[in-house]
């Protein structure tokens, strides 16, 4: 009886080891796909969501020179420049304005109409933003 149990455990152990080796390449492929998905499209800002719940959304946005962000309505937000530079905002009516960010600077910005931000400088800009969400009714 002990011999039967020992051989069963041995086979079970071998099966788990083989399953681990078989799953490893699949997990590596999943990591490669995730890394590709994390890379931004050329000309688009990279936005990494750090936290999102029913009260706030926290993101880190990286703009390489020439990159544009999404054209969406902006709620009340607090933004800190981790790496400064100059962004140009383009509004739907064609109006533009330049916004300079100094590294370490914090701005509290009121809700804004939709605009498209674009890095018009020569260096990367990294912004850490906390968007305050409207309470659900």
């Amino acid at each position: 009886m002990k011999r039967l149990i020992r051989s069963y455990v041995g086979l079970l152990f071998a099966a788990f080891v083989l399953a681990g080796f078989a799953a490893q390449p699949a997990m590596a492929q999943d990591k490669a796909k995730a890394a590709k998905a994390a890379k931004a499209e050329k000309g688009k800002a990279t936005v990494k969501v750090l936290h999102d719940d029913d009260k706030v959304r926290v993101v880190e946005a990286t703009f390489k020179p020439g990159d544009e962000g999404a054209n969406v309505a902006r709620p009340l937000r607090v933004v800190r420049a981790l790496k400064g530079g100059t962004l140009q905002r383009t509004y739907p009516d064609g109006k533009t304005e330049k916004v300079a960010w100094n590294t370490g600077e914090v701005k509290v910005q009121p809700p804004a109409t939709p605009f498209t931000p674009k890095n018009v400088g020569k260096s990367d800009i990294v912004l850490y933003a906390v968007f305050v969400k409207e309470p659900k009714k």
Side-chain angles (χ1 to χ4, degrees), residues 25-101:
M27 288 191 296
Q29 288 175 354
D30 289 344
K31 286 181 184 177
K33 286 179 186 176
K36 276 187 181 178
K39 288 183 182 178
E41 293 178 42
K42 189 164 180 75
K44 298 287 183 187
T46 303
V47 178
K48 183 180 359 173
V49 177
L50 304 173
H51 178 80
D52 195 0
D53 63 24
D54 59 335
K55 296 184 183 188
V56 297
R57 177 179 171 99
V58 181
V59 301
E60 183 177 291
T62 303
F63 295 83
K64 295 192 179 306
D67 281 359
E68 285 189 357
N71 185 8
V72 295
R74 308 287 197 293
L76 174 68
R77 61 208 180 276
V78 178
V79 183
R80 180 167 191 226
L82 301 178
K83 190 171 181 189
T86 303
L87 287 177
Q88 177 178 296
R89 293 179 177 176
T90 304
Y91 294 92
D93 63 359
K95 178 185 157 200
T96 62
E97 70 176 324
K98 288 187 178 179
V99 179
W101 290 92

Side-chain angles (χ1 to χ4, degrees), residues 2 4 7 26 43 46 55 70 97 124 130:
K2 284 185 181 183
L4 182 63
S7 64
T46 303
K55 296 184 183 188
E97 70 176 324
D124 291 359
V130 178

